Each structure stands twice: as structure tokens, then as C-alpha cells.
Amino acid sequence: MSAESHPAAKYKRVLLKISGEALMGDQGYGLHPPTVERIAQEVKSVRDLGVEICMVIGGGNIFRGLAGSAQGMERTTADYMGMLATVMNALAMQSALEGMGVFTRVISAIRMDEVAEPYIRRRAVRHLEKKRVCIFAAGTGNPYFTTDTAATLRANEMACEAIFKGTKVDGVYDKDPVKFDDAKRYDTVSYDEVLQKNLGVMDASAIALARDNNKPIIVFSLDEPGGFRGILAGEGTYTLVQG
């Protein structure tokens, strides 16, 4: 489909951040191929709108550095293991997207030239301009930084107009909507409120980096079929985090 046959998308270039856990479906661990396919289909539908899209995927479905550290593993080593888990997830997503005919590049902050491109900002921007999906793997390449921070960093470097944070619920709530029936959803919320009320959108350094560069964050449900594309077409339910 051509971009011309669709309504104009709200943003021209965006970054989608999802957790590794989003890829494991109902399993307790690892990758669930039908779930990976479903998310890839969502990404393709947005790409078909003519939107340039890049992604950051967490690694918590395979290994979480902080959890490893809590069990006595040296933190730096645990974090590097977590970064490698994100590369595995990125390769799985690349495979699913390319199976749908979407040209995709996995770009790693840690050099592993046999499986992924090294991160070079200008080259990554060129891929986006050519409508390739770029999946940024291995976080920032540094321990002690989360994939949330990596997502905000890459969104700034790529001059993305917004960060889309795909979660299991349709926005930011004042408390956990799964546990509390009276939880209230925010339509909009400020960066400072997210930090002060500890609303758990992203970690504090990611929120601060988004705030300092005035980068809006859109929190939406990844479980809602067509939700990602709908928001870009000006519909759907979500929370907008901005100044």
C-alpha cells in the first residue's frame, strides 16, 4: 500500500519501545513466535502509513541484569548479559518483519559484526530515510543504563517526533489498574508528575532525558489490535506524557 492511500499520520518518525516480556505471550519465559509475529504486524501497519519507525526492545524475557545482580552476580556482568538478551529479541523481531517483506536493520551498541550493524548515527538515519525499520539493540552499550534510557537516547539522536511505549494497559494510571478497580487513567501527564508520583512510565533517567529534550512519550496498550496504527491516525486511547 502506498502512503498516499492512507490518512496522514500524526508523526513522520517515531520510536517504539517495548519490553522483552511483551514478546513472551502467556509463557513465563523466552519468545512466543505468534506474539512476535503479531507485534511485527503492528509495526508493518504503521510503516505502511509512510511513518519512519525505529524500535528498542528490552531483554527481560530472557535475562534481566538487575535481577541477576540481586542474586549475587556482579552488576556490570549481569547488565552486559541483559544487553545480549536484547540482541536476541531484536533478531527475532527482524526475522518476523522481513518475513512480511519489511526491510529491517538490527543495530547494536556492542559490536558483533556477524549478526548486527554497529551503531553509527548517520547510517541509522539513512536507513530510516529509506523506510527501513531500525531495531536498536544492546541498550546504550553501557552497564547501569536501562533500555528505557536507551530508547530515549536513540529517539533524540534519530530526531524522532515521539516515543511510543507499548504496555499491557492503555495508558498511565494513578495506581495499578489490574489490582485496583478505581484506578484512574491520565489523558495527559507532565514529566515532573511522572517523576514526583513515581508513576512507572519509564525510569527516572529516561523521563529526565525526554523532558530535557521536550520529547513526548505516548503510553498505549500493545495488546489492543491496531492500537499503534490507530494512534498515529489520530484515534485510540493513550496517555500523553509531555512538559
Side-chain angles (χ1 to χ4, degrees):
M1 290 187 216
S2 69
E4 288 78 14
S5 62
H6 295 288
K10 195 171 178 184
Y11 300 107
K12 292 187 175 68
R13 181 181 293 172
V14 300
L15 183 138
L16 172 63
K17 166 63 170 70
I18 61 174
S19 67
E21 286 90 344
L23 302 183
M24 66 187 186
D26 295 330
Q27 304 171 156
Y29 177 82
L31 288 154
H32 183 238
T35 301
V36 177
E37 289 271 331
R38 179 179 63 77
I39 294 172
Q41 190 63 56
E42 294 278 326
V43 172
K44 180 183 185 299
S45 72
V46 167
R47 206 280 317 244
D48 288 346
L49 279 175
V51 177
E52 295 170 7
I53 179 167
C54 47
M55 299 178 71
V56 170
I57 308 172
N61 57 320
I62 298 169
F63 188 87
R64 187 175 286 284
L66 208 53
S69 172
Q71 291 173 33
M73 191 176 284
E74 195 269 318
R75 173 68 190 269
T76 304
T77 300
D79 278 356
Y80 278 122
M81 289 172 70
M83 288 179 220
L84 295 178
T86 71
V87 177
M88 294 170 72
N89 285 339
L91 291 172
M93 184 59 64
Q94 179 184 43
S95 176
L97 284 165
E98 290 188 337
M100 297 170 186
V102 177
F103 292 109
T104 309
R105 295 290 185 273
V106 172
I107 300 171
S108 173
I110 298 172
R111 287 194 77 107
M112 45 184 85
D113 296 350
E114 285 75 17
V115 296
E117 286 186 12
Y119 177 70
I120 299 168
R121 188 182 69 84
R122 287 176 181 272
R123 184 190 289 177
V125 168
R126 189 75 185 112
H127 287 319
L128 290 175
E129 289 170 350
K130 290 182 176 179
K131 299 294 186 279
R132 295 167 183 157
V133 173
C134 290
I135 307 174
F136 296 114
T140 66
N142 302 290
Y144 296 93
F145 290 93
T146 66
T147 50
D148 279 346
T149 302
T152 313
L153 174 66
R154 296 293 184 239
N156 283 313
E157 289 177 310
M158 294 298 108
C160 292
E161 294 169 304
I163 299 165
F164 279 70
K165 174 80 186 276
T167 68
K168 291 195 174 297
V169 292
D170 59 357
V172 180
Y173 285 77
D174 58 353
K175 49 191 165 187
D176 189 342
V178 177
K179 295 176 184 167
F180 301 96
D181 291 337
D182 63 340
K184 290 185 172 62
R185 187 180 61 80
Y186 296 93
D187 284 329
T188 61
V189 63
S190 71
Y191 304 113
D192 289 337
E193 255 186 295
V194 168
L195 292 170
Q196 287 158 12
K197 295 180 180 176
N198 199 21
L199 294 175
V201 176
M202 287 177 156
D203 66 68
S205 57
I207 294 293
L209 188 57
R211 180 190 61 193
D212 293 349
N213 293 278
N214 201 27
K215 198 69 65 181
I217 303 168
I218 292 161
V219 183
F220 72 106
S221 172
L222 205 59
D223 292 341
E224 186 69 38
F228 186 24
R229 184 182 187 282
I231 294 166
L232 278 153
E235 305 155 6
T237 305
Y238 57 89
T239 298
L240 175 62
V241 183
Q242 60 183 1

